[in-house]
Amino acid sequence: MDLPGQVNCETCRIRSCAVEVLDHQELQILKTNCAGAVYKKNERIFQQGSLCSNITYVKTGLIKIHKNGPSKDQILKLVKPPRFIGIPTVLGDKINHYSATALMPTTVCFIVTGIFKTLIMRNGKFANEVINSLCQDELTFYDRSINQMQKQIHGRLADALLFLADEIFLSDSFELPLSRSDLGDYIHATRESVTRTLSRMKSDGLIQMQGRLITLADKEMLVRISKLG
Amino acid sequence: MDLPGQVNCETCRIRSCAVEVLDHQELQILKTNCAGAVYKKNERIFQQGSLCSNITYVKTGLIKIHKNGPSKDQILKLVKPPRFIGIPTVLGDKINHYSATALMPTTVCFIVTGIFKTLIMRNGKFANEVINSLCQDELTFYDRSINQMQKQIHGRLADALLFLADEIFLSDSFELPLSRSDLGDYIHATRESVTRTLSRMKSDGLIQMQGRLITLADKEMLVRISKLG
DNA sequence: GTCAGGATATGATTTATATCACATTTGTAG
DNA sequence: CTACAAATGTGATATAAATCATATCCTGAC
């Protein structure tokens, strides 16, 4: 982790919808209680179980939110910036209920929890935007959760690849930011099953692979596989 | 559905934490934009895909939140009152992204979405309580989601029984409010597997069953099964 | 370069649970 | 009470994916 020192929220160009509605004075409050940080690939941003007094705002990069389950670690979601994460930690216990780890070089801002709460109390529009964001997360996670449960590996993997292409990289060709093992934790499959399914997709001409570089060759078919489950 | 007419939020004894922080004037606003309703078992409260202009506050009873998946309907969660549901619908499209159905006789209040938003904007404490509630939902759902994915049927069913006993009925003996089929949709299993697993638990002396009445006979063991997965 | 440790590939086997097929019970409308 | 539909129980079979066991491929350190 690298600390680039003080940030300036007033001139920041990657502001969230929520911060966008703050007035001059509120931005000043935010600015003096906000610190930036830079993370390299695979660096932990915060750790499940540890005490936490900050909300994290992911500005650039890509992170995974993951959590220990009864038998293994599971990736709950990949978070594409810009996005607040860890808001649930404002709750009573102030303990992180999940971990966050950078999958690519990532920049974040930490906002002191108390200040975040103050802004919610003080500015209704801010609160409203935060609520919108939480609601959107909820709906997205419901969808993902149902897909994970009901689709079989081909469908889940197709989902993941389409998500990476369409939501994260905005290109049908990208460097896979996850290892086979991580991909498995993300789509709830074993490393071996991921390998097998990717190989199958390659030999079926759905994707191309050269090392980490993946190209979605037959997107129509991938969408169909995703829909069929 | 039965409409008992006007409600009085000022004298209501089943108020949420959020409504608790409203002042006299705000309670008046709420009162005039809030309608009560009563549902019988298996009545639909709102339907996925339909337009919706209300937040639902579940006062008494028990409801299931369920959603169509690629292959079948799935119960996302059982909601124990008092609780707001459908807050995500305040978002852009105003379309329900899931259905809610009463599992027992249930009373609810509908609050016009616009008023809900007004209260958020106007009263920071209210907004804060709503955020707390959403965050709590999020964490609970993460836990449930991971358990569903990683535990096998015995563990998932034990979870469900313990949840019903400890969270819903506050008793180790209760009338099962879900059919085998519903239970299956809740723990992501087939009707047949639920039957088989319940029979097994009965013959192992973990539970007793007389018709709909279930008694958790060996709770220690159920907890152990739940933990082991 | 070489070497070691991690990541990936791939085949054989096992297993949990779905699916299918049918029997039995329960609830309910007439 | 009767009858019919819905809910539940139970066995046989199929199957997706995990697990186990190696083998091969990278990648970075020295």
Side-chain angles (χ1 to χ4, degrees):
Chain A
M1 177 177 70
D2 187 34
L3 285 166
Q6 193 60 43
V7 291
N8 188 340
C9 304
E10 287 174 288
T11 58
C12 178
R13 278 174 308 156
I14 322 173
R15 297 200 302 212
S16 66
C17 301
V19 169
E20 213 53 60
V21 304
L22 298 180
D23 64 26
H24 178 70
Q25 195 188 346
E26 286 159 348
L27 278 173
Q28 286 296 326
I29 297 174
L30 185 60
K31 182 180 164 181
T32 54
N33 288 281
C34 185
V38 177
Y39 290 87
K40 290 195 271 288
K41 187 177 166 71
N42 291 324
E43 277 189 319
R44 186 66 43 96
I45 297 169
F46 55 78
Q47 167 71 37
Q48 177 181 359
S50 66
L51 269 168
C52 180
S53 54
N54 300 293
I55 301 284
T56 307
Y57 179 62
V58 186
K59 286 200 289 191
T60 63
L62 181 66
I63 68 149
K64 62 173 176 180
I65 299 286
H66 51 120
K67 186 170 165 73
N68 279 129
S71 62
K72 61 171 185 171
D73 209 61
Q74 185 158 328
I75 298 181
L76 292 167
K77 52 173 97 169
L78 301 180
V79 175
K80 166 207 178 182
R83 202 90 189 148
F84 284 110
I85 56 173
I87 296 184
T89 314
V90 294
L91 274 178
D93 58 9
K94 309 237 168 171
I95 288 172
N96 285 311
H97 288 252
Y98 42 74
S99 303
T101 303
L103 291 173
M104 307 169 59
T106 291
T107 59
V108 309
C109 276
F110 293 112
I111 301 160
V112 177
T113 321
I115 297 301
F116 199 81
K117 234 172 183 162
T118 304
L119 293 174
I120 287 166
M121 295 288 202
R122 199 188 135 111
N123 186 329
K125 281 186 192 164
F126 181 80
N128 189 52
E129 290 298 335
V130 168
I131 288 172
N132 280 352
S133 171
L134 286 171
C135 288
Q136 199 180 315
D137 282 352
E138 182 174 327
L139 294 180
T140 306
F141 195 68
Y142 284 166
D143 278 332
R144 173 161 151 76
S145 185
I146 287 194
N147 284 334
Q148 290 292 304
M149 297 288 240
Q150 296 190 13
K151 289 181 185 173
Q152 51 194 63
I153 281 196
H154 287 84
R156 303 204 298 272
L157 188 55
D159 277 353
L161 294 175
L162 290 168
F163 173 76
L164 287 169
D166 296 340
E167 308 279 329
I168 304 294
F169 295 107
L170 311 175
S171 159
D172 290 351
S173 205
F174 53 87
E175 294 273 318
L176 197 63
L178 300 150
S179 68
R180 298 290 184 273
S181 182
D182 268 343
L183 247 185
D185 292 345
Y186 182 53
I187 65 166
H188 192 64
T190 56
R191 182 181 59 70
E192 294 97 319
S193 295
V194 171
T195 295
R196 256 186 275 268
T197 310
L198 279 175
S199 306
R200 183 72 198 284
M201 283 180 169
K202 187 182 178 184
S203 69
D204 287 353
L206 301 176
I207 59 172
Q208 282 160 27
M209 283 194 288
Q210 298 119 72
R212 300 233 81 82
L213 186 74
I214 289 217
T215 305
L216 308 194
D218 189 347
K219 220 167 159 184
E220 300 245 329
M221 194 61 191
L222 282 171
V223 170
R224 204 146 76 213
I225 288 173
S226 155
K227 287 232 178 79
L228 286 177
Chain B
M1 178 177 68
D2 187 34
L3 283 167
Q6 194 60 44
V7 291
N8 188 340
C9 305
E10 287 174 290
T11 58
C12 178
R13 278 173 309 153
I14 322 173
R15 297 200 301 211
S16 66
C17 299
V19 169
E20 212 54 59
V21 303
L22 297 180
D23 64 26
H24 178 70
Q25 194 188 346
E26 287 159 347
L27 278 173
Q28 286 294 327
I29 297 174
L30 184 60
K31 181 179 164 181
T32 55
N33 289 282
C34 186
V38 177
Y39 291 86
K40 290 194 271 286
K41 187 176 165 69
N42 291 325
E43 276 187 319
R44 185 67 42 95
I45 296 169
F46 55 80
Q47 167 70 38
Q48 177 180 357
S50 65
L51 269 168
C52 181
S53 54
N54 300 293
I55 302 283
T56 307
Y57 180 62
V58 186
K59 286 200 288 190
T60 63
L62 181 65
I63 67 149
K64 61 174 176 181
I65 299 286
H66 51 119
K67 187 170 165 72
N68 280 130
S71 62
K72 61 172 186 169
D73 208 62
Q74 185 159 327
I75 298 180
L76 292 167
K77 52 174 98 172
L78 301 180
V79 175
K80 165 207 177 183
R83 201 91 189 148
F84 285 110
I85 57 173
I87 296 183
T89 313
V90 294
L91 272 177
D93 58 9
K94 308 237 169 172
I95 289 172
N96 286 312
H97 289 252
Y98 43 74
S99 303
T101 303
L103 291 173
M104 304 169 60
T106 291
T107 59
V108 309
C109 276
F110 293 112
I111 301 160
V112 177
T113 320
I115 297 302
F116 199 80
K117 235 171 183 161
T118 304
L119 293 174
I120 288 167
M121 295 288 201
R122 199 188 135 113
N123 185 329
K125 281 187 193 165
F126 181 80
N128 189 52
E129 290 298 335
V130 168
I131 288 172
N132 280 353
S133 170
L134 286 171
C135 288
Q136 200 180 314
D137 281 352
E138 182 174 329
L139 294 180
T140 307
F141 195 67
Y142 284 166
D143 278 332
R144 174 162 149 76
S145 185
I146 288 194
N147 284 335
Q148 290 292 305
M149 298 288 239
Q150 297 190 13
K151 289 180 185 175
Q152 52 194 63
I153 282 197
H154 287 85
R156 302 204 300 270
L157 188 54
D159 277 353
L161 294 175
L162 289 168
F163 173 77
L164 287 169
D166 295 341
E167 308 280 329
I168 304 294
F169 296 106
L170 312 174
S171 159
D172 290 351
S173 204
F174 53 87
E175 294 275 318
L176 196 63
L178 298 151
S179 68
R180 297 290 184 271
S181 182
D182 268 342
L183 247 185
D185 292 344
Y186 182 52
I187 65 166
H188 191 63
T190 56
R191 179 184 64 73
E192 295 95 320
S193 295
V194 171
T195 295
R196 258 186 273 269
T197 310
L198 279 175
S199 306
R200 183 73 198 285
M201 284 180 168
K202 187 180 179 186
S203 69
D204 287 352
L206 300 176
I207 59 172
Q208 282 161 28
M209 284 194 288
Q210 298 120 71
R212 298 235 81 81
L213 185 73
I214 289 217
T215 305
L216 308 195
D218 188 349
K219 221 169 159 182
E220 300 245 328
M221 195 60 192
L222 283 171
V223 170
R224 204 145 76 213
I225 289 173
S226 156
K227 286 230 178 81
L228 286 177

